[in-house]
Amino acid sequence: MRKEIRSRRINRIGSYAISSSMSMRDHRQQPCITCTTFNILAPIYKRLTINNDKSQNSRESDYRAYWLVRNQKILDSLLRERSSIICLQEFWVGNEELVSMYEKRLGDAGYINFKLARTNNRGDGLLIAVRKECFRVICHRELLFNDCGDRVAQLLHVELAGPYSPSRNNDTRQEILIVNTHLLFPHNSSLALVRLNQVYKILQYVESYQKENKLSPMPIMLCGDWNGSKRGHVYKFLRSIGFVSSYDTAHQYTDADAHKWVSHQNHRGNICGVDFIWLLNPNRYRKLLKSSWSEAVFGMFKYLVRRASLDRRKGLCLAKGR
């Protein structure tokens, strides 16, 4: 079957990006399935500088007019994109007005949505929405990591519906597992294992869900803010078991093209690429999860030991230089 790849679009609102996955269309012009992942920066974290005085930093959450206008613009962009799947991170679940605004506008536009707060009343969380005309929702599950950072993940099991479903022509049913998450920010190298373990927990949960429900192999889509680049251990781990980045596929990038993918500017002012839509076709699963996990952890420790050795040598050189 010939497929036409339409590269994903990137829209900017402030320093954050909407990242829409590639869509594929065959020669019969079947409808596209598209996906958008977007860290919308919760107002409780967005810093504002008052009267150009950097010493008077406050949060956007203290100024209703600011966060209201910004989130209305975000919704405008999301609805203009009209993606089949929307995955949001840093969604301000602690504010009823904002939650109601998203639920109403997305609902009016034909979306079913699910939200999940981070543990320990952090105030923000996740939202995943799918268009009713595209999918029938089979199940929504919540995954609480219960580790440092109070991170969470959503698992949505859907079946293609309406004109998007192959069952119009035969008896086959196309189902997809969609995950939305926001991993821990790597404040230091000691958190690398925590982030890797969060991904492993997600994959374990997906695997157990499939076994529990006696599901046949199906496509898996991992969306979100991974807080790690193409040079990181999480990226390498997912690649090792067969996942591919939709952005890489759409632009024909290789693992060596890490510098070409930029999604936003983080809170440290660094330009980075950390927002991904990962895809796994059921026939591309390369190796057992446990063996791949062991290799990933071993590789990470080798890297940390090597870096510590280099840092120690640099320190000795500097000391001798004095």
Side-chain angles (χ1 to χ4, degrees):
M1 182 182 296
R2 186 180 67 83
K3 293 181 178 178
E4 172 187 322
I5 300 179
R6 180 166 56 89
S7 62
R8 65 181 179 177
R9 301 172 294 279
I10 302 295
N11 288 337
R12 302 293 299 214
I13 295 181
S15 61
Y16 286 73
I18 295 179
S19 309
S20 301
S21 78
M22 67 175 183
S23 59
M24 295 180 289
R25 185 175 300 174
D26 70 11
H27 66 285
R28 290 170 297 183
Q29 296 296 301
Q30 290 179 338
C32 297
I33 297 299
T34 57
C35 179
T36 294
T37 183
F38 192 1
N39 181 327
I40 60 175
L41 182 54
I44 51 177
Y45 303 134
K46 182 172 172 58
R47 294 181 175 87
L48 297 178
T49 302
I50 308 300
N51 297 325
N52 294 321
D53 185 353
K54 293 185 178 179
S55 65
Q56 295 185 26
N57 282 333
S58 60
R59 300 300 171 110
E60 186 189 49
S61 52
D62 297 325
Y63 300 88
R64 178 180 178 274
Y66 284 27
W67 62 254
L68 186 62
V69 169
R70 184 169 69 89
N71 279 274
Q72 285 173 339
K73 289 180 179 179
I74 289 171
L75 275 164
D76 290 342
S77 292
L78 290 172
L79 297 179
R80 191 162 53 245
E81 287 279 314
R82 195 161 172 72
S83 290
S84 315
I85 305 162
I86 296 174
C87 293
L88 304 181
Q89 305 85 43
E90 291 199 25
F91 180 62
W92 193 15
V93 296
N95 184 284
E96 291 184 4
E97 183 180 5
L98 182 139
V99 170
S100 296
M101 179 174 69
Y102 272 82
E103 289 181 341
K104 183 178 189 313
R105 291 195 62 185
L106 289 172
D108 290 346
Y111 286 90
I112 307 170
N113 61 81
F114 305 86
K115 63 181 186 296
L116 174 61
R118 287 169 64 191
T119 49
N120 289 323
N121 297 314
R122 286 295 189 121
D124 71 305
L126 306 170
L127 181 141
I128 186 167
V130 293
R131 278 168 51 192
K132 297 176 186 177
E133 66 176 342
C134 301
F135 303 104
R136 180 179 72 85
V137 176
I138 297 172
C139 184
H140 173 250
R141 293 282 186 89
E142 299 175 351
L143 174 56
L144 312 180
F145 294 137
N146 292 317
D147 55 18
C148 61
D150 297 303
R151 301 295 175 172
V152 295
Q154 297 172 289
L155 172 66
L156 195 64
H157 181 189
V158 299
E159 176 189 356
L160 292 181
Y164 301 84
S165 174
S167 61
R168 293 179 304 152
N169 306 317
N170 52 52
D171 294 330
T172 60
R173 291 173 51 186
Q174 180 62 68
E175 298 177 21
I176 306 172
L177 293 178
I178 306 165
V179 173
N180 181 28
T181 194
H182 183 190
L183 297 188
L184 182 71
F185 185 85
H187 292 282
N188 55 64
S189 59
S190 66
L191 297 176
L193 183 58
V194 176
R195 299 179 61 259
L196 200 56
N197 192 44
Q198 287 174 341
V199 177
Y200 183 64
K201 283 183 178 180
I202 289 173
L203 297 177
Q204 269 190 319
Y205 191 81
V206 170
E207 196 173 75
S208 64
Y209 176 81
Q210 289 177 297
K211 289 179 180 178
E212 172 191 332
N213 293 279
K214 298 180 175 58
L215 301 175
S216 301
M218 65 182 67
I220 300 170
M221 183 181 296
L222 306 179
C223 307
D225 182 345
W226 298 85
N227 266 326
S229 73
K230 291 182 64 172
R231 298 184 178 92
H233 300 287
V234 168
Y235 179 91
K236 293 173 183 175
F237 174 47
L238 289 171
R239 291 282 289 115
S240 75
I241 58 176
F243 279 92
V244 296
S245 162
S246 64
Y247 193 84
D248 289 349
T249 302
H251 293 276
Q252 299 182 339
Y253 286 166
T254 67
D255 291 350
D257 293 318
H259 61 288
K260 296 181 180 180
W261 168 223
V262 175
S263 61
H264 69 281
Q265 182 181 42
N266 67 21
H267 64 277
R268 290 177 175 173
N270 300 322
I271 298 296
C272 54
V274 301
D275 299 293
F276 288 93
I277 298 171
W278 289 97
L279 305 171
L280 178 67
N281 287 326
N283 61 347
R284 292 297 302 276
Y285 205 83
R286 292 179 184 168
K287 62 179 74 172
L288 293 175
L289 184 57
K290 284 186 179 179
S291 62
S292 185
W293 161 251
S294 299
E295 291 174 11
V297 172
F298 181 66
M300 186 200 68
F301 280 126
K302 278 178 62 179
Y303 167 78
L304 292 176
V305 169
R306 186 166 61 248
R307 196 173 74 171
S309 176
L310 289 172
D311 289 343
R312 191 160 52 247
R313 289 177 188 173
K314 287 179 182 177
L316 288 171
C317 290
L318 287 172
K320 289 178 180 178
R322 291 174 184 170

